[in-house]
Every structure is written in structure tokens, then in C-alpha cells.
Amino acid sequence: MEQTWRWFGPNDTVPLSHITQAGATGVVTALHDIPYGVVWSREAIEERKRLIAADPSLGLRWSVVESLPVHERIKLGEGDLTELFENYRISMRNLAEAGVHTICYNFMPVLDWTRTELHHRLAGGGTSLRFNAHEFAAFDIFMLERPGAAEEHGPEMVEKARAWFATTTEAERAELLANIMAGLPGAYDRYDIPELRKQLARYHGIDRAKLRENLVRFLEEVIPTAEEVGIKMAIHPDDPPRDLMGLPRVVSSAEDIEYILSAVPSPANGLTLCAGSLGAGAQNDVPAIARRFAPRVHFTHLRNVAKEPDGSFMEADHLGGDTNMVDLVTALLEEQARRKASGAADWRIPMRPDHGHELMDDVGRGSHPGYSGVGRMKGLAELRGVMHAVSAIKGLPL
């Protein structure tokens, strides 16, 4: 697999030279300064490529876009979307002209990935991302005061949430809000409670069926362009894979993935296999999902989570947690071998280590949550070892 690394651009605390030191060759990045719905110009794309290739000795290339965001109005199906669809298609063409042919995107309403702790203390002083179900329930019921929230969370969780809320300070509650908002690395909207209520109100009447309909409409608008210019679209699963704050989620299970890939049955309509996002759902067997949809996996995030019975989970070591990472890597290498045998020129699947722990000298450096250097380097090294071992034992190409 092509070993890649997410880079947030020139202001990232992890410089390009460290990506090379970690052993990756592909860069996964986006133009986060461009507002959602605005065209990514050829000039802006070429400038990002120039930065990545400025030092040829690093041997880096822009491998995957993560993400070319989908405007909220498209998710809502709100108003005349002609210009937004056309701007997205123009951006796709501009990326293809620059030689970037894989686009990761998501269709999560309002929020991206969601956690309640960004620096959960680990043994030895490292930190991890964590989702505490009772804290999220406290936010939903007692801070957001969303109608019907208590019924959705259930009596036992409501009591745990009430106890948390009763013993916390205003500062702790403000930190919880900030943590929940932190999963939007490219969106500069960080909502306060009143604004978040407004955003949720926009989705009144948008149920699971309607959100699916809006996703299929988006795909029908952009996949023909993807086929035309050689772009592979790779939808990212919901994180966590469950409804949140009354918002429907439609990329949370194998059934959801089947629906999306079947609705627009083009090889250009594919999946970002995020092992952590899918792995946070008790219903999901991640290696089985990888095998079922292998021909449509265009990109993969390899990370692991440890789940708890109440729905809480924590980012685990890449080879720890609940997903059998050796089995998952084997499934992906087997798919690569199939592609290579079929004569595909781009048979390697780009992968990246995702959401590493904050470790050693990275503690307190202010990296994007989950994207410290040392933790991801540790994860990539572990994953690389698995890939080489599986390749050697089974005779599969790397």
C-alpha cells in the first residue's frame, strides 16, 4: 500500500521533512483556507503541489485530497444548487489536471468527527482522543437542551449525564463544547450553543431517507465528471457511526455502504475505509466490510478504537483495540494483488495512519487533535511491520 500522511499545510506543527522521516511518501492534504463551495483554482492547487515538491530530496507527492468539502446546502438539498455542483466539478477537473486523482469527502451533517476529550491521559503521560457517551448526553440534554434528547439517550444514560452536569464548572462545560467542535479542521465555523441550535434547526424535516436522497443527488451530479477526468471519489464513514443530536447519519454500516455504492454503480464512486470510524460501531466487522467492498476501496485510514458497552470509545494503539488489524491489512493486500493481476496501473491503495496518540515531545505542542507526529509515526511503523509480514508470508505485493 502507498504509505501516506495527512498534512494540514504550511501551518501544520508537523513539517514535510518529518513526513519523510516517518517513512511516508504520499501527502494527504486540502486547501482548508478556501471556503466551502468555492472553486479550488488551478493556481491554488499548483501552489500546494509546489510546497510539497519544493525539496525533491524528500520524495513526496500530493497523493489524496482530504477533503474537498461538500457544502451544507447540498446535504440539506436547500435551494438552487446549480452553482455549488458546478464549482465542485470545476475543482475536480482542476485537481485532475494537476495529477491528483483521489478525493476523500464526507456527508456528515453539521459536524465532522466528534469526541468529548481531546487529551485523555494515558499511562506514562501521553494522551488520546476519547468519546464519553455520558458527557455527550449531558451536552445534548442539559447544555444544548435539544427537545427529545433525553428520550433518545435512555434513562440510565440520562442519570449519568445529569450527575456529570451537576458536578462540572462552566469552564469544564465550555471545554466540552470546544472539544465537540474540534472535529472541523477545515471549517472555521466553531459554533456556540445558540448557533449550533440554528444549524440543527435547518435539518428539521431531513430524515435518513431525505439525507440519502441528497447524497445520491450529489453523486449523480459529480460522478460523471469523475469518470471523465479519472477521479476516484471516496466517501468517509460517519464518526462515530450513529445519529448525533437528532441528525441522521447515512454512512455508518455495511448496509449504508451497499446502498451508496449501488445507487450510483460506477467504479469512480468508492469508499474511504476508515477502520476507526467503522470500528466504533458495535454492528461493524471492519475486515469483513473491507472484503465485501474491496474493489471500491479507494483510500484507507488505519486506526483502532476500544469500545465500551455504553457506547463510549477511545482511540487505541494502531494494533490494539477491537479491530483485528492483521486481518484487515491482509484483506487490503489481497485486493491490491487482485488489482495488480488485472493489469491496473494504479493498483496500490493509499493508506495513512490516523489519529495517533500524543506522545513524548509532542505533548503540549498544539498539534491538530489526533494528528501529532510521534504518535502517527509509531502507528505507521507498526502498520508497516504488519504489511511486510503479511506480504512475506502470503506472497502478496506491497
Side-chain angles (χ1 to χ4, degrees):
M1 284 181 278
E2 180 189 12
Q3 297 172 42
T4 70
W5 188 277
R6 192 170 191 185
W7 186 59
F8 290 95
N11 296 323
D12 198 324
T13 59
V14 180
L16 291 168
S17 60
H18 289 190
I19 297 175
T20 297
Q21 290 178 38
T25 57
V27 173
V28 176
T29 192
L31 306 182
H32 292 306
D33 56 315
I34 298 179
Y36 289 11
V38 176
V39 169
W40 287 16
S41 69
R42 293 184 180 91
E43 293 76 17
I45 292 167
E46 288 295 340
E47 173 59 18
R48 180 56 55 91
K49 277 191 67 180
R50 186 194 65 77
L51 284 175
I52 293 168
D55 183 349
S57 71
L58 298 181
L60 299 174
R61 76 179 190 103
W62 188 354
S63 176
V64 177
V65 172
E66 186 178 346
S67 298
L68 180 57
V70 178
H71 197 280
E72 207 70 25
R73 283 182 51 216
I74 293 176
K75 299 174 189 177
L76 285 159
E78 182 181 78
D80 184 356
L81 301 175
T82 304
E83 182 178 3
L84 288 175
F85 286 136
E86 181 58 19
N87 287 354
Y88 204 98
R89 289 189 290 260
I90 293 170
S91 297
M92 292 169 66
R93 292 190 182 99
N94 291 345
L95 284 162
E97 287 182 11
V100 185
H101 291 95
T102 302
I103 296 175
C104 172
Y105 70 100
N106 77 69
F107 216 77
M108 289 180 261
V110 180
L111 298 178
D112 203 307
W113 60 264
T114 304
R115 301 292 185 273
T116 61
E117 284 187 83
L118 304 183
H119 302 286
H120 179 77
R121 186 84 170 177
L122 302 172
T127 70
S128 174
L129 300 175
R130 183 175 169 83
F131 181 92
N132 293 313
H134 70 283
E135 290 180 358
F136 191 83
F139 174 80
D140 197 13
I141 299 166
F142 300 111
M143 293 174 60
L144 190 59
E145 298 178 327
R146 182 174 64 85
E151 290 75 15
E152 292 178 18
H153 289 283
E156 184 177 349
M157 188 60 69
V158 170
E159 290 310 308
K160 291 178 68 176
R162 192 189 311 278
W164 182 89
F165 188 75
T167 57
T168 52
T169 65
E170 286 298 324
E172 288 170 324
R173 296 169 193 168
E175 182 180 13
L176 177 60
L177 171 63
N179 291 349
I180 290 171
M181 290 295 108
L184 297 165
Y188 290 100
D189 293 329
R190 295 295 189 265
Y191 307 129
D192 58 15
I193 294 292
E195 183 60 30
L196 182 56
R197 288 180 182 139
K198 290 179 184 178
Q199 295 300 320
L200 295 177
R202 295 175 70 189
Y203 277 86
H204 180 73
I206 304 291
D207 60 8
R208 175 179 171 82
K210 183 61 178 176
L211 189 62
R212 273 184 162 185
E213 178 184 318
N214 294 342
L215 171 54
V216 172
R217 180 185 177 190
F218 166 73
L219 291 170
E220 290 173 341
E221 291 281 351
V222 303
I223 291 300
T225 299
E227 293 172 337
E228 173 193 334
V229 300
I231 288 280
K232 292 178 286 189
M233 297 292 293
I235 194 167
H236 189 287
D238 304 320
D239 187 6
R242 66 190 72 166
D243 293 355
L244 294 178
M245 295 183 294
L247 295 169
R249 298 271 184 129
V250 295
V251 198
S252 292
S253 66
E255 187 270 334
D256 287 339
I257 296 166
E258 178 67 42
Y259 179 88
I260 293 162
L261 300 186
S262 298
V264 183
S266 166
N269 175 27
L271 174 67
T272 294
L273 186 84
C274 181
S277 297
L278 290 168
Q283 74 275 19
N284 292 326
D285 180 333
V286 182
I289 289 173
R291 288 188 168 90
R292 179 174 173 180
F293 302 108
R296 306 281 281 277
V297 172
H298 297 326
F299 181 36
T300 183
H301 296 170
L302 298 183
R303 63 180 173 91
N304 225 321
V305 298
K307 298 185 290 293
E308 297 168 21
D310 69 352
S312 301
F313 61 89
M314 189 178 76
E315 306 279 357
D317 290 329
H318 284 74
L319 302 187
D322 298 331
T323 294
N324 184 330
M325 195 60 69
V326 174
D327 192 22
L328 177 56
V329 169
T330 300
L332 295 169
L333 289 178
E334 288 171 345
E335 170 59 18
Q336 280 198 161
R338 185 199 65 78
R339 295 181 190 186
K340 186 177 183 182
S342 73
D346 56 346
W347 55 270
R348 282 192 172 87
I349 300 171
M351 60 75 69
R352 68 172 179 84
D354 198 12
H355 289 193
H357 292 164
E358 189 179 58
L359 302 173
M360 300 180 180
D361 292 345
D362 278 338
V363 175
R365 286 188 63 192
S367 303
H368 286 274
Y371 290 97
S372 63
V374 175
R376 284 185 291 162
M377 181 176 69
K378 175 177 179 282
L380 181 57
E382 292 172 344
L383 294 166
R384 185 184 298 127
V386 170
M387 289 189 289
H388 278 268
V390 171
S391 172
I393 292 168
K394 291 187 170 285
L396 299 171
L398 286 170

